[in-house]
Amino acid sequence: MYINKKLYLTLKIVAIVGMYWWGSLLFQFFGILLGDLFADFAEDSIFTGFADDTFFQIKMYICLFSISILLFIVHFWLNKRLANANIYNSLFVNDPDGVIQLPVLSRAMGKKASELKKDIIYLIKMKILKNCRFGKDGNYENIVLFKDTGSKSLDGGEIKAVCSSCGGETMVRIGYVKSCPYCGSKLDT
């Protein structure tokens, strides 16, 4: 699992609550607006006091509308980040060798590599994505994945594997499959 479940669920709840607050503030905004319109027609209305103070009304409208727009933006931004984290997690979980080339991921998702890298780095910094980092292999930038072994070090977890077919030795990350560089047989840890 490459997603921090506790943080993900917390942020999901924040996004849902933000959307609820956005809807309720928008509802209150339109309620006050309609109440003020009807207050002009009915002199005995409870809104009559507010109808006399136009400056107060304008400040109230601007404040409620600004807060509701801000909550909507936060909700939209959080949902987009969490949806992207889900997509990356599902792709990472199904990767057999623990190395995903950024150009390959870019083509698969139909996005620019620079966009993906920026998004993944942001999710890693926010600690929504875990057990992954960027590495360079030749000319390609890769996303290097790590199995959650409870170790705090992301660089640990490699063992020397000996090929059963040719006897060649190579380093393989624990929990992943790699092809033997000498004969092409699968090396499994």
Side-chain angles (χ1 to χ4, degrees):
M1 181 61 82
Y2 299 97
I3 202 163
N4 185 341
K5 283 184 179 181
K6 289 179 184 177
L7 183 60
Y8 177 84
L9 290 174
T10 302
L11 291 175
K12 193 69 172 172
I13 289 169
V14 167
I16 290 169
V17 168
M19 191 61 178
Y20 171 75
W21 282 346
W22 172 77
S24 67
L25 279 176
L26 208 57
F27 182 75
Q28 289 174 8
F29 171 75
F30 286 115
I32 291 172
L33 182 65
L34 289 174
D36 284 344
L37 288 175
F38 289 121
D40 291 339
F41 298 114
E43 291 180 28
D44 296 333
S45 173
I46 59 170
F47 297 105
T48 305
F50 293 116
D52 295 338
D53 190 3
T54 307
F55 185 66
F56 176 76
Q57 286 178 323
I58 292 171
K59 287 194 311 188
M60 181 81 105
Y61 293 148
I62 291 172
C63 182
L64 283 175
F65 192 70
S66 299
I67 291 172
S68 67
I69 293 299
L70 180 68
L71 286 173
F72 180 75
I73 290 170
V74 166
H75 167 77
F76 181 75
W77 180 84
L78 261 179
N79 267 346
K80 182 179 177 189
R81 295 285 179 247
L82 295 176
N84 286 348
N86 261 338
I87 292 168
Y88 299 137
N89 182 56
S90 64
L91 291 171
F92 295 171
V93 165
N94 294 317
D95 186 66
D97 65 353
V99 176
I100 300 174
Q101 290 182 349
L102 194 58
V104 173
L105 183 63
S106 172
R107 282 191 304 272
M109 294 189 67
K111 293 182 179 180
K112 292 181 182 178
S114 59
E115 237 179 79
L116 282 176
K117 182 178 179 181
K118 182 180 171 184
D119 193 34
I120 292 171
I121 287 174
Y122 190 76
L123 290 170
I124 291 171
K125 284 183 180 178
M126 283 182 66
K127 301 201 185 300
I128 295 173
L129 285 180
K130 63 180 184 172
N131 299 328
C132 57
R133 66 177 165 90
F134 279 92
K136 199 151 178 104
D137 182 23
N139 295 333
Y140 297 108
E141 220 165 352
N142 299 324
I143 301 165
V144 182
L145 308 172
F146 297 91
K147 295 287 183 186
D148 195 5
T149 59
S151 172
K152 296 291 182 194
S153 171
L154 289 180
D155 294 326
E158 285 191 339
I159 61 169
K160 187 182 290 186
V162 179
C163 179
S164 59
S165 299
C166 70
E169 294 181 356
T170 188
M171 297 301 286
V172 179
R173 282 197 316 284
I174 296 172
Y176 291 100
V177 177
K178 184 176 183 179
S179 296
C180 175
Y182 308 106
C183 69
S185 299
K186 295 287 182 193
L187 302 172
D188 194 357
T189 57

